[in-house]
Amino acid sequence: MAPVSELNRTDNVEGPVVAIFNVPLIGHVNPTFALVQELRKRSCKVHYFLPPVASIRDAAIESGAVVEGYLPEDPTDFEMDKCCVDEPPCPTQIPVEDRALYPVWPLTTILKCGEYVLERCRQIGVSVVLYDAWVPLGIVVARRLGIPYASLVTYPGMGSLRDMLSLMEAEGRLEVFADIRKPYGKAIKDKFGIDLSCHLLTRRQYYSETNFVTTCEDLVAELPKPGEQKWADELRAHFSFTAVGCLVSASAPHVSTVSATPTHSVSASAKSFGNALPTAELMDHLARGRKIIYAALGTMALLDRWNIDLGRLSGNNLPLGTTGKAFCQHVWKALFAALEELGEEYFCVLPAGKQPDALDFLGSSEEEISEHLPCNVFVCESVPQVEMLNRYTSVFVSHVGFNSLQESLMAGVPLVAIPQAVDQPGNARKVQDRGWGQAFFKPMETCTAAQLADVLRQVSGGASYRRAVQRARAELAGGAPRLAEHLVVMAKDQKGQNGAVLGGC
């Protein structure tokens, strides 16, 4: 990694205007808030384009950004993943559970919002664009304005999706999804004159020639060997990736939850848990030498796919038909039984989210649920995760989404990895191979109470795990200032533009 110079420069010369484009997903936005802080230190002005999700926008403002909407008047009901246009028609022939695999909403967002966002970026004088790889609107804006741009990859690269993508390629689904994207790509080219190369198999993510990965080089997941998979060969041929380090910062804002949209009515008997940490109780447990387990299974299972199949995204890590609810409740049942076995020397903090039926396996009323919770378990809706990891946690039971993995490493906390889907099985392999903890692969079969209790004893008491985590922490450090410096250099050196057009749609 290149050295970073003048990290704390705050001179009075006005710096570049940086536009950031993102989606309302916690794992995608949380790494960016420390980056905004670093850009502000360099006198940059940051305009952050976000959908109207209050908790995410508040964190962006707190970090120092000016929040922008994607549409005029910034309607409060705007949702990117439901953004549709009349032509071409949004496809309906594919089941809803498959739509995360071939999304067209990144393209329909351009058709619906592009004219307004482009004009707004002209008005504010944007000089460099950083966009989440789900938001190719950033590519269109940058190419039309003739300014440099790069994508931000908040997971360890497409190699982490190799099991899922290889299965999709074998089944011919990557080609099918490319065909679905092509008319949208043509409509964008006709309207804005920008070719997004929608025919590429890897266009489920809209990379640019320059892509910054929010981790260290050692954690970037390897691709299949040349010649093994078309999608991987295509990625090597067209795109380059620079690992800048971890962007996690204990001083940056951090979003713990966004509002759930229940698909059923909330039962009057469902238990509602707050969001406040029992700090005095946690400090008392630590003073008594007890181990504190933090168990968080991520928003994909707890919110996005609570009642939707996770198995299709798992690369065979979960059986087809396994919903977020089924996964969470399976792990929670095993965890509660394990904690009863472990006894009073262990205490667990468990954020269960906002789903009204989250704990219905314990009972149908608040009284029943409280009665059946182990006495060494504290349940809440959400937790300030960075604070929890840095101040209290002995071992983190995690789905190992990439941000959760890196937040744990940066806090020096070993892990028990229980992966669901997408990049998580690959992340769990890293946990196991690097000695950062232990992992349960195919958890619906392997994660039992007895096995989990045994693993928790080993990881919470093993000095070797903490030493390995500390080594990883040293490798990861410095990502936010390093990336901020890259963007400043790109903005000041127009030769850093990466706007070469890939092949046609």
Side-chain angles (χ1 to χ4, degrees), residues 21-30 33 48-57 70 78-82 105 109 132 134-135 255 257-259 299-300 303-304:
F21 297 87
N22 218 326
V23 291
L25 297 174
I26 289 174
H28 293 239
V29 295
N30 272 334
F33 301 135
Y48 205 143
F49 288 81
L50 286 164
V53 178
S55 57
I56 293 175
R57 286 187 168 189
Y70 280 108
F78 174 69
E79 297 179 70
M80 297 180 79
D81 61 349
K82 295 180 181 176
W105 60 262
T109 299
D132 183 90
W134 278 115
V135 192
V255 180
T257 186
V258 295
S259 298
T299 56
M300 184 167 69
L303 176 62
D304 301 332

Side-chain angles (χ1 to χ4, degrees), residues 280-490:
E281 187 176 3
L282 291 172
M283 293 298 292
D284 181 64
H285 286 308
L286 289 175
R288 294 171 184 266
R290 294 168 179 160
K291 305 292 187 184
I292 296 181
I293 299 164
Y294 171 48
L297 299 181
T299 56
M300 184 167 69
L302 282 171
L303 176 62
D304 301 332
R305 301 185 78 85
W306 182 251
N307 290 312
I308 302 176
D309 185 8
L310 277 167
R312 289 174 178 269
L313 302 174
S314 75
N316 293 322
N317 186 58
L318 298 178
L320 291 178
T322 304
T323 63
K325 178 180 179 179
F327 172 84
C328 290
Q329 292 194 344
H330 174 81
V331 174
W332 291 339
K333 288 174 186 177
L335 180 60
F336 291 167
L339 284 160
E340 288 184 337
E341 179 184 333
L342 291 169
E344 65 179 10
E345 294 307 306
Y346 289 79
F347 184 78
C348 179
V349 173
L350 187 149
K354 297 183 177 182
Q355 302 291 350
D357 55 343
L359 300 179
D360 62 3
F361 65 95
L362 294 176
S364 58
S365 68
E366 183 173 336
E367 292 74 19
E368 275 189 288
I369 291 171
S370 297
E371 180 183 346
H372 288 100
L373 270 177
C375 60
N376 55 347
V377 176
F378 175 84
V379 176
C380 51
E381 284 184 0
S382 65
V383 161
Q385 182 159 292
V386 173
E387 177 187 355
M388 181 68 203
L389 289 169
N390 278 277
R391 296 187 63 184
Y392 306 109
T393 304
S394 307
V395 58
F396 185 16
V397 177
S398 174
H399 65 303
V400 285
F402 197 54
N403 286 294
S404 289
L405 168 61
Q406 294 203 120
E407 286 164 3
S408 193
L409 296 175
M410 291 297 289
V413 176
L415 298 112
V416 173
I418 309 181
Q420 303 156 21
V422 197
D423 64 321
Q424 296 162 20
N427 298 338
R429 278 191 286 272
K430 290 279 188 180
V431 170
Q432 191 100 328
D433 294 345
R434 298 294 196 276
W436 302 330
Q438 296 195 33
F440 288 91
F441 300 101
K442 297 187 181 293
M444 302 302 285
E445 304 168 19
T446 62
C447 186
T448 65
Q451 293 274 29
L452 187 52
D454 186 50
V455 165
L456 285 168
R457 287 191 191 96
Q458 293 178 42
V459 176
S460 63
S464 64
Y465 296 113
R466 286 196 173 270
R467 287 196 295 269
V469 166
Q470 290 294 341
R471 289 193 294 270
R473 179 181 182 177
E475 293 179 24
L476 286 165
R482 190 173 292 112
L483 178 52
E485 199 73 8
H486 274 299
L487 293 172
V488 169
V489 170
M490 287 173 63

Side-chain angles (χ1 to χ4, degrees), residues 111-129:
L111 293 169
K112 188 177 183 69
C113 308
E115 289 176 316
Y116 166 74
V117 172
L118 181 59
E119 180 56 31
R120 179 62 182 147
C121 286
R122 282 197 184 100
Q123 291 172 356
I124 59 183
V126 172
S127 47
V128 64
V129 166

